[in-house]
């Protein structure tokens, strides 16, 4: 007995000091906030204030405010605006507490503004090293802060969780919470549950092993961590959930980390005391790369529920078994009480990248219903009992060895762009994408030292310099605002958009839905019919979601504008399919009767291609193209055509000089801008081949421009 007691005491001591994941079974209590933002305020949900990323624990993003309504929204005008000191994608939802707006911007900076006047109260910069960008798939974005007690919490791109004094913006503590800084980045908004701060990380394209962890809000001490995929069995499993998950993998899956990262949705339900979160793709995408076989690869591309106090596994529902398409299940998880077959059910509602809308029982994860909300060609449907997809053989591209043109593609039918649920209309308002992606396995890929580890042959499916092919791709790539009834699993109405990656939505008790567009408008629609009622020219594409608050009897609507993110960075000729794009990063705040204006925007640069003559060899172009696709296209665009955020290398003066390109690619001359040295992946001859590929591409597109007149 004595030994057992001693061991127990020792174990608890280790738990307390190291907060080991193996200690999950010991309940972890944290002191609750008694001042400032309290648990009771968070549980009450949003009213005059907007206290959490999703507008309340239910993540419905529904405002009960009615002053601005479908009848008078035409009188909405700009109350104030604030220009931001960054020019990258803005994805955050502002929070409002006690007359102050707290908002994170690109590079994980945080600002506090007087919510009525727009006066800047303080600004906090975590000084994220710019070279962090090389392990980030989708721009230097941050989706928001959390408020609790007297602190503001932000998770920085470089893997730190930071507590800031709400009153003056000074840093209270900052802790690196990811295992290493080569593979992990954080873009998501922290959430609060019972005195704990919850956050996961991104990185499932970069050898990451996914997890979500809880930290004491006062001290930052780690209290529990739930891994989403099993590690090397030789090291022992952290819990039973990992042991079970390991049965669904084969080969040496842990060598690439396994993926399953928790990079966006985290939902705390005080009713069940469960935390629900979505997990990302299995890593690498191509299952042949690590011989993981055709197993489910748990708990990737799933919704997982764990106990909020201990992090102990409660249930999981895998939306995409054997994921090889990057069908992250990270999109927002909304909870609600809806009537299903005559009974009120507490449900989880989810519209992940894979294109199916799911309704699950919140307590058990039981599948209640699921239907495709965008065209889907990787599965013929869902099993009506279990919700498991019937995967079509042609979608297993690594088995067929053929190109699979998948819909949705890696951008997803719907991803992090927030949706909103109106209990008034019973509808979910989802920013959807109609996109395709050609998947082709790279059978020679065995991993690289840095960068993405997808195992796909991106070079062979890059967009050709062909007018008809490009026109067809642009025509097939669209978006929409979709109003979806989760009970009947049917569309109520839609507003079509010319392109994907439009902003998140807010619905209000004034029978309104607000949404910004990729084309640069901020709009209001009637929530019941979808009729457009109001629009404001935002001068830049909007990807973030709006929120609403009220001060001194006046209702406001706020939105962070600023084009960027995944769509702009990767998609080449499709990046501007919604229209010419540029980034003007700005917080816009509206109220009835206001008549504020924005300064005249700078013109959109329409540059004419003027490349040096091509003097390289066909072999260099082939090698350069093969190297460009995995190493460069993630930031500089498919087929060397960039969007609005990063430099278009066809226009770069550096491609005229072998020495200049070598200085950048090998010696890291532009590291301060985020362009790190790639010498671990490429040598000097490779860099020269990439240069010749860029010159060739620029000349091909120049010829297309000339032909078009
Ligand atoms: Ca992913």
């Amino acid at each position: 007995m004595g030994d057992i007691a001693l061991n127990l005491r020792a174990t608890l001591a280790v738990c307390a000091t190291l907060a080991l994941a193996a200690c999950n079974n010991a309940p972890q209590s944290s002191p609750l906030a008694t001042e400032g933002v309290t648990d009771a305020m968070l549980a009450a949900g949003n009213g005059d204030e907007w206290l959490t990323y999703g507008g309340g624990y239910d993540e419905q993003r529904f405002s009960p405010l009615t002053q601005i309504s479908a009848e008078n929204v035409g009188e909405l005008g700009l109350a104030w605006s604030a220009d931001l000191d960054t020019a990258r994608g803005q994805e955050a939802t502002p929070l409002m507490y006690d007359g102050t707006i707290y908002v994170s911007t690109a590079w994980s900076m945080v600002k506090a503004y007087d919510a009525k006047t727009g006066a800047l109260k303080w600004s906090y910069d975590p000084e994220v090293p710019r070279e962090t960008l090389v392990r980030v798939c989708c721009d230097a974005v941050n989706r928001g802060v959390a408020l609790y007690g007297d602190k503001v919490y932000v998770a920085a791109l470089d893997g730190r969780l930071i507590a800031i004094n709400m009153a003056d913006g000074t840093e209270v503590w900052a802790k690196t919470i990811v295992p290493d800084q080569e593979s992990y980045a954080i873009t998501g908004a922290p959430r609060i549950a019972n005195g704990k701060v919850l956050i996961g990380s991104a990185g499932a394209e970069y050898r990451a092993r996914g997890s979500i962890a809880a930290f004491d809000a006062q001290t930052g001490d780690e209290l529990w961590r739930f891994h989403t995929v099993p590690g090397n069995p030789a090291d022992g499993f952290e819990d039973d959930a990992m042991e079970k998950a390991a049965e669904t993998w084969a080969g040496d899956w842990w060598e690439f980390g396994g993926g399953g990262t928790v990079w966006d949705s985290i939902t705390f339900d005080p009713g069940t005391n469960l935390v629900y979160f979505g997990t990302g793709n299995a890593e690498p995408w191509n299952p042949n790369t690590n011989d993981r076989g055709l197993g489910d690869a748990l708990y990737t591309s799933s919704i997982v529920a764990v106990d909020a106090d201990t992090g102990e596994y409660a249930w999981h529902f895998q939306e995409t078994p054997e994921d090889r398409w990057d069908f992250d299940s990270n999109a927002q998880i909304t909870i609600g009480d809806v009537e299903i077959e005559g009974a009120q059910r507490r449900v989880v509602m989810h519209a992940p990248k894979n294109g199916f809308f799911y309704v699950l029982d919140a307590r058990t994860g039981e599948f209640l219903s699921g239907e495709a909300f965008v065209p889907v060609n990787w599965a013929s449907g869902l099993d009506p009992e279990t919700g498991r997809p019937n995967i079509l053989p042609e979608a297993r591209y690594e088995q067929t060895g053929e190109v699979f043109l998948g819909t949705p593609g890696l951008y997803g039918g719907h991803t992090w762009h927030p949706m909103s649920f109106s209990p008034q209309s019973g509808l979910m308002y989802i920013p959807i994408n109609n996109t395709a992606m050609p998947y082709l396995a790279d059978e020679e890929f065995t991993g690289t030292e840095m960068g993405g580890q997808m195992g796909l042959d991106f070079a062979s499916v890059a967009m050709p310099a062909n007018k008809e092919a490009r026109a067809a791709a642009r025509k097939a790539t669209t978006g929409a605002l979709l109003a979806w009834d989760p009970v009947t699993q049917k569309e109520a109405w839609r507003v079509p958009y010319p392109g994907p990656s439009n902003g998140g939505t807010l619905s209000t008790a004034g029978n309104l839905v607000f949404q910004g567009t990729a084309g640069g408008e901020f709009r209001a629609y009637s929530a019941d019919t979808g009729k457009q009622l109001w629009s404001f020219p935002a001068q830049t594409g909007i990807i973030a979601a709006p929120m609403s608050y009220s001060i001194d009897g006046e209702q406001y609507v706020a939105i962070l504008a600023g084009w960027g993110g995944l769509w702009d960075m990767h998609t080449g000729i499709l990046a501007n399919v919604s229209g010419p794009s540029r980034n003007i990063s700005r917080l816009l705040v509206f109220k009835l009767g206001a008549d504020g204006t924005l300064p005249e925007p700078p013109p959109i640069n329409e540059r004419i291609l003027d490349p040096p003559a091509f003097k390289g060899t066909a072999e260099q172009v082939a090698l350069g193209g093969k190297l460009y696709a995995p190493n460069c296209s993630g930031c500089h665009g498919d087929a060397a055509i960039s969007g609005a955020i990063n430099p278009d290398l066809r226009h770069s003066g550096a491609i005229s000089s072998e020495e200049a390109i070598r200085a950048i690619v090998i010696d890291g001359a532009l590291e301060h801008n985020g362009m790190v040295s790639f010498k671990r992946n490429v040598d000097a001859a490779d860099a020269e081949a990439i240069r010749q590929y860029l010159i060739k591409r620029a000349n091909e597109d120049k010829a297309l421009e000339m032909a078009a007149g």
Side-chain angles (χ1 to χ4, degrees):
M1 281 302 285
D3 283 347
I4 292 171
L6 196 66
N7 284 342
L8 185 63
R9 239 187 350 257
T11 305
L12 288 174
V14 170
C15 289
T17 50
L18 296 179
L20 290 179
C23 307
N24 271 353
N25 290 334
Q28 304 283 355
S29 64
S30 309
L32 301 182
T34 52
E35 292 174 7
V37 176
T38 64
D39 300 81
M41 291 165 65
L42 293 173
N46 53 358
D48 285 347
E49 298 176 313
W50 189 282
L51 297 176
T52 76
Y53 177 71
Y57 280 141
D58 51 20
E59 303 266 331
Q60 291 185 351
R61 292 176 172 271
F62 173 78
S63 169
L65 299 174
T66 55
Q67 186 179 71
I68 302 168
S69 69
E71 282 69 46
N72 63 19
V73 71
E75 296 157 34
L76 201 61
L78 187 67
W80 57 268
S81 67
D83 286 5
L84 302 175
D85 48 356
T86 86
R88 301 201 72 99
Q90 304 296 341
E91 297 189 352
T93 304
L95 306 189
M96 202 291 278
Y97 165 64
D98 195 22
T100 302
I101 282 186
Y102 301 93
V103 64
S104 62
T105 75
W107 294 113
S108 326
M109 294 190 280
V110 183
K111 313 271 181 191
Y113 297 96
D114 183 304
K116 208 169 157 178
T117 67
L120 181 69
K121 290 187 166 180
W122 53 257
S123 180
Y124 169 81
D125 184 354
E127 295 178 0
V128 170
R130 287 335 190 221
E131 58 267 30
T132 305
L133 262 188
V134 78
R135 63 174 195 269
V136 180
C137 69
C138 315
D139 204 354
V141 296
N142 187 281
R143 281 184 292 280
V145 298
L147 304 177
Y148 190 61
D150 58 358
K151 295 183 185 67
V152 181
Y153 300 89
V154 67
L157 196 67
D158 56 8
R160 285 175 291 162
L161 180 63
I162 301 168
I164 304 165
N165 185 319
M166 198 181 269
D168 59 14
T170 53
E171 188 177 299
V172 182
W173 51 256
K175 302 202 170 183
T176 296
I177 58 160
V178 296
D180 73 71
Q181 297 199 305
E182 180 100 300
S183 310
Y184 298 81
I186 309 183
T187 56
R191 309 300 205 283
I192 305 295
N194 302 337
K196 300 176 181 66
V197 187
L198 307 175
I199 192 69
S201 81
E205 277 72 37
Y206 303 86
R207 296 180 188 267
R209 183 188 180 199
S211 68
I212 176 174
F215 301 87
D216 185 293
Q218 297 309 315
T219 63
D221 292 343
E222 185 172 318
L223 301 175
W224 57 254
R225 185 176 288 265
F226 180 85
H227 290 98
T228 60
V229 297
N232 187 342
D235 299 334
F237 296 115
E238 287 87 351
D239 49 47
D240 293 346
M242 290 303 98
E243 197 167 353
K244 280 211 170 68
E247 293 165 11
T248 66
W249 294 78
D252 298 338
W253 74 85
W254 58 90
E255 287 190 354
F256 280 88
T261 47
V262 184
W263 59 262
D264 191 53
S265 58
I266 302 171
T267 301
F268 170 52
D269 182 359
T272 59
N273 204 42
L274 294 176
V275 173
Y276 314 101
F277 52 91
T279 64
N281 57 277
E283 175 70 357
W285 296 356
N286 173 0
N288 282 354
T289 306
N290 57 350
D291 299 321
R292 70 168 182 268
L294 294 178
D296 288 353
L298 291 172
Y299 302 92
T300 63
S301 301
S302 303
I303 293 179
V304 183
V306 300
D307 184 287
D309 297 324
T310 63
E312 202 174 339
Y313 170 93
W315 58 259
H316 78 276
F317 178 82
Q318 189 173 44
E319 294 171 328
T320 310
E322 52 178 283
D323 181 19
R324 55 174 70 67
W325 309 277
D326 191 23
F327 284 161
D328 303 330
S329 283
N330 297 84
Q332 158 193 353
I333 296 169
T334 296
I335 46 182
D337 298 294
V338 300
E339 193 179 307
I340 294 178
E341 291 171 357
Q344 282 291 116
R345 300 283 295 255
R346 187 150 188 83
V347 299
V348 159
M349 295 176 276
H350 201 220
K353 281 165 88 174
N354 79 8
F356 289 97
F357 191 99
Y358 296 87
V359 180
L360 311 176
D361 184 283
R363 287 177 195 283
T364 64
E366 178 196 348
F367 172 76
L368 299 176
S369 66
E371 285 295 335
F373 62 91
V374 291
V376 163
N377 75 348
W378 63 276
S380 61
L382 304 180
D383 181 291
E385 294 301 314
T386 65
R388 191 181 173 87
N390 178 31
I391 297 169
L392 295 166
E394 60 267 31
R396 294 189 176 107
Y397 55 84
E398 86 289 358
Q399 304 283 315
T400 66
E402 307 279 327
V403 175
F404 171 59
L405 186 63
T407 56
L410 76 99
Y411 306 99
H414 168 244
T415 175
W416 67 266
H417 303 238
M419 58 186 189
S420 62
F421 177 71
S422 166
Q424 207 171 60
S425 67
L427 299 176
M428 189 75 82
Y429 303 97
I430 318 170
I432 63 164
N433 306 314
N434 290 309
T435 63
M437 149 107 194
Y439 296 89
L440 177 63
D442 181 350
E443 292 304 338
E444 291 162 24
F445 184 82
T446 54
T448 53
E449 286 206 29
M450 58 186 291
Q453 309 291 322
M454 284 76 109
L456 263 59
D457 180 353
F458 293 104
S460 296
V461 296
M463 181 62 66
N466 173 292
K467 213 172 112 189
E468 288 73 29
R470 292 183 176 194
R474 286 174 71 93
K475 193 163 172 244
T477 305
T478 63
L481 168 59
L482 177 70
W484 186 261
D485 185 331
V487 175
T488 62
Q489 291 280 16
K490 284 194 170 67
E491 173 177 337
W493 52 259
R494 75 170 57 207
V495 177
Y497 292 131
S501 194
N502 297 284
T505 72
L506 161 74
S507 52
T508 78
N511 188 29
L512 290 169
V513 178
F514 288 93
Q515 187 190 22
T517 71
E521 285 182 65
F522 184 40
R523 293 180 177 181
Y525 301 99
S526 170
D528 50 2
T529 65
K531 186 183 176 208
Q532 186 180 322
L533 302 173
W534 174 81
S535 172
F536 178 86
Q539 304 182 345
T540 179
I542 295 176
I543 50 179
M547 51 74 87
S548 189
Y549 60 91
S550 180
I551 298 178
D552 296 341
E554 279 191 304
Q555 185 186 353
Y556 296 79
V557 177
I559 178 91
L560 202 53
W563 179 247
L566 173 68
W567 187 259
D568 180 75
M569 289 178 64
H570 289 210
T571 58
I573 60 149
L574 300 174
N576 65 353
V577 71
S578 295
S581 53
R582 66 182 154 206
N583 178 289
I584 301 175
S585 290
R586 195 180 264 151
L587 178 59
L588 303 170
V589 180
F590 301 86
K591 68 175 182 177
L592 291 175
D595 58 0
T597 55
L598 296 175
E600 198 61 32
I604 292 177
N605 239 344
E606 278 196 48
R607 289 178 297 176
I608 307 295
L609 279 167
D610 187 24
F614 174 68
K615 293 177 182 164
T617 66
E619 289 73 27
Q620 280 179 312
V621 172
L623 175 63
K626 199 159 173 52
L627 292 167
Y628 174 89
N631 289 297
C632 319
S633 70
C635 291
H636 296 284
D638 177 56
I641 304 168
S642 86
I645 301 298
N646 284 318
D648 187 312
L649 301 179
R650 299 169 305 159
H651 289 274
S652 168
I655 65 172
S656 299
S657 157
E658 183 174 354
E659 290 72 32
I661 284 286
R662 194 190 309 140
I664 296 167
V665 174
I666 305 295
D667 304 333
L670 296 181
E671 195 153 300
H672 58 283
N673 279 348
M675 173 59 204
V676 300
S677 164
F678 275 70
K679 68 180 171 198
R680 289 196 285 157
N681 279 5
V682 299
D683 61 20
D686 293 338
E688 174 59 8
I690 291 170
R691 184 175 83 94
Q692 294 300 342
Y693 167 75
L694 292 170
I695 295 171
K696 179 75 173 169
R697 285 273 33 267
N699 278 285
E700 286 171 351
D701 289 347
K702 175 87 184 166
L704 273 188
E705 278 179 10
M706 305 276 281

